């Protein structure tokens, strides 16, 4: 069983805190989190934690019992041990108690205003529960727009670079996936008519040097272009570019002799 009465002991001076929990591990995690963030409900325990450091405190189950006997045995432990860090010396349990809608709304606002638990890593169980809770969820258009705006200009996240393992995992997750044609067209429409900077052109050019398309990719591109008509301005630009390249190549192959000047 994982339900019962526990003790938080300051090994530096022997003082203690008595409590009861339905789940020891979960309750100890909450205590540590609150103490590390400086928001524990027991001001006495918080001051001792700040003064002596986390290293001197131990969390120990001292009695296992049924849920309906938690308050009874917690009070007996308090009567015997006289815990210095308990604000109230009367045991009370919130088991089965439900907050009103108004209280729950205020608690929600308070929790959202708190900063994340810096330096406190999530347990594997917590990560798994968060993953299950988020599976299948689809963000609304408004939420997606907010996320997009928040991430704009952060490539990658500020001060962070993806590890090789993370890059490999992302690559593997996207292999074989086909984008929705509507999404592809929407992305292309955003970029259409947007001139690239010289720096971007140089990067793209350097990335393409030495690269060869596979026969399958070449065939796919050819099939997608077959039957398409280019706008007249694009055709004119391509013709002018080819003519300029041809003239440059001919000039390189057949350099004009330098005429000697006669000095009389």
């Amino acid at each position: 069983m994982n339900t019962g009465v526990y003790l938080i002991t300051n090994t530096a001076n022997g003082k203690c805190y008595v409590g009861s929990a339905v789940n020891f591990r979960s309750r100890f995690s909450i205590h540590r989190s609150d103490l590390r963030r400086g928001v524990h409900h027991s001001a006495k325990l918080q001051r001792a934690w700040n003064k002596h450091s986390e290293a001197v405190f131990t969390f120990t189950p001292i009695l296992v019992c049924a849920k309906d006997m938690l308050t009874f045995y917690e009070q007996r432990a308090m009567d015997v041990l006289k815990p210095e860090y308990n604000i109230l010396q009367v045991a009370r349990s919130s088991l089965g108690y439900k907050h009103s809608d108004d209280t729950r709304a205020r608690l929600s606002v308070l929790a959202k205003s708190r900063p994340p638990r810096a330096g406190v890593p999530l347990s594997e169980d917590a990560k798994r529960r968060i993953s299950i809770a988020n599976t299948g969820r689809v963000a609304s258009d408004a939420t997606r727009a907010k996320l997009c705006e928040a991430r704009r200009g952060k490539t990658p996240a500020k001060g962070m670079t993806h590890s090789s393992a993370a890059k490999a995992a992302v690559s593997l997750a996207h292999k074989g996936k086909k984008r929705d044609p509507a999404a592809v067209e929407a992305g292309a429409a955003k970029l259409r008519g947007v001139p690239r900077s010289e720096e971007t052109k140089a990067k793209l050019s350097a990335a393409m040097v030495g690269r060869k398309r596979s026969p399958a990719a070449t065939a796919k591109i050819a099939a997608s272009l077959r039957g398409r008509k280019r706008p007249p301005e694009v055709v004119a630009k391509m013709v002018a570019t080819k003519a300029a390249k041809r003239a440059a190549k001919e000039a390189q192959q057949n350099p004009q002799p330098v005429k000697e000047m006669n000095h009389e």
Side-chain angles (χ1 to χ4, degrees):
M1 293 179 67
N2 199 27
T3 301
V5 180
Y6 61 87
L7 201 63
I8 301 176
T9 307
N10 182 343
T11 58
N13 56 23
K15 294 181 179 181
C16 66
Y17 174 95
V18 171
S20 61
V22 175
N23 183 298
F24 287 127
R25 183 176 179 180
S26 175
R27 189 68 182 126
F28 291 166
S29 177
I30 292 171
H31 274 301
R32 287 193 180 94
S33 173
D34 289 348
L35 288 165
R36 286 168 179 168
R37 292 185 294 131
V39 295
H40 199 275
H41 64 272
S42 171
K44 294 179 181 179
L45 181 58
Q46 185 67 66
R47 285 195 294 268
W49 179 280
N50 296 342
K51 179 181 178 180
H52 296 283
S53 82
E54 177 178 350
V56 304
F57 285 87
T58 60
F59 295 75
T60 314
I62 58 173
L63 184 144
V64 174
C65 64
K67 291 181 182 179
D68 58 352
M69 297 298 291
L70 282 173
T71 304
F72 175 82
Y73 284 114
E74 182 183 0
Q75 185 61 59
R76 294 300 173 272
M78 293 175 73
D79 292 340
V80 172
L81 298 172
K82 307 293 183 185
E84 295 84 357
Y85 295 141
N86 285 72
I87 301 299
L88 299 176
Q89 295 299 317
V90 178
R92 57 187 178 87
S93 173
S94 60
L95 187 63
Y97 177 79
K98 291 185 178 180
H99 291 294
S100 66
D101 292 340
D102 180 59
T103 301
R104 291 169 66 185
R106 286 189 284 108
L107 289 172
S108 175
V109 171
L110 180 63
K112 288 176 181 178
S113 66
R114 289 175 178 168
R117 299 186 300 167
V120 182
L122 292 173
S123 66
E124 293 303 320
D125 182 57
K127 292 177 183 177
R128 181 183 60 80
R129 286 188 280 110
I130 291 172
S131 176
I132 292 172
N134 285 305
T135 300
R137 290 182 64 182
V138 179
S140 65
D141 292 340
T143 300
R144 292 168 66 185
K146 287 180 181 178
L147 290 171
C148 180
E149 185 62 31
R151 291 171 182 168
R152 188 166 286 127
K154 298 179 181 179
T155 319
K158 190 176 181 181
M160 294 178 62
T161 55
H162 292 302
S163 65
S164 300
K167 291 177 181 177
V170 172
S171 175
L172 184 63
H174 283 86
K175 271 182 181 174
K177 279 188 175 180
K178 291 185 178 179
R179 293 179 65 191
D180 178 27
V184 174
E185 178 55 31
K190 287 182 180 178
L191 295 174
R192 201 169 287 133
V194 178
R196 294 191 178 107
S197 66
E198 294 301 323
E199 182 183 1
T200 301
K201 290 179 183 178
K203 285 181 180 179
L204 290 171
S205 177
M208 296 302 294
V209 172
R211 290 182 64 179
K212 292 183 179 180
R213 294 193 185 98
S214 65
T218 303
K220 189 175 180 180
I221 293 171
S224 67
L225 294 173
R226 197 170 292 128
R228 289 179 61 181
K229 291 185 178 181
R230 296 186 177 93
E233 60 272 15
V234 174
V235 175
K237 188 175 180 179
M238 291 176 66
V239 170
T241 302
K242 286 183 178 179
K245 287 183 177 179
R246 193 181 302 113
K249 188 175 181 180
E250 290 176 355
Q252 188 177 6
Q253 292 176 347
N254 303 307
Q256 294 294 327
V258 179
K259 295 182 178 181
E260 295 184 1
M261 296 181 66
N262 295 326
H263 298 279
E264 293 182 357

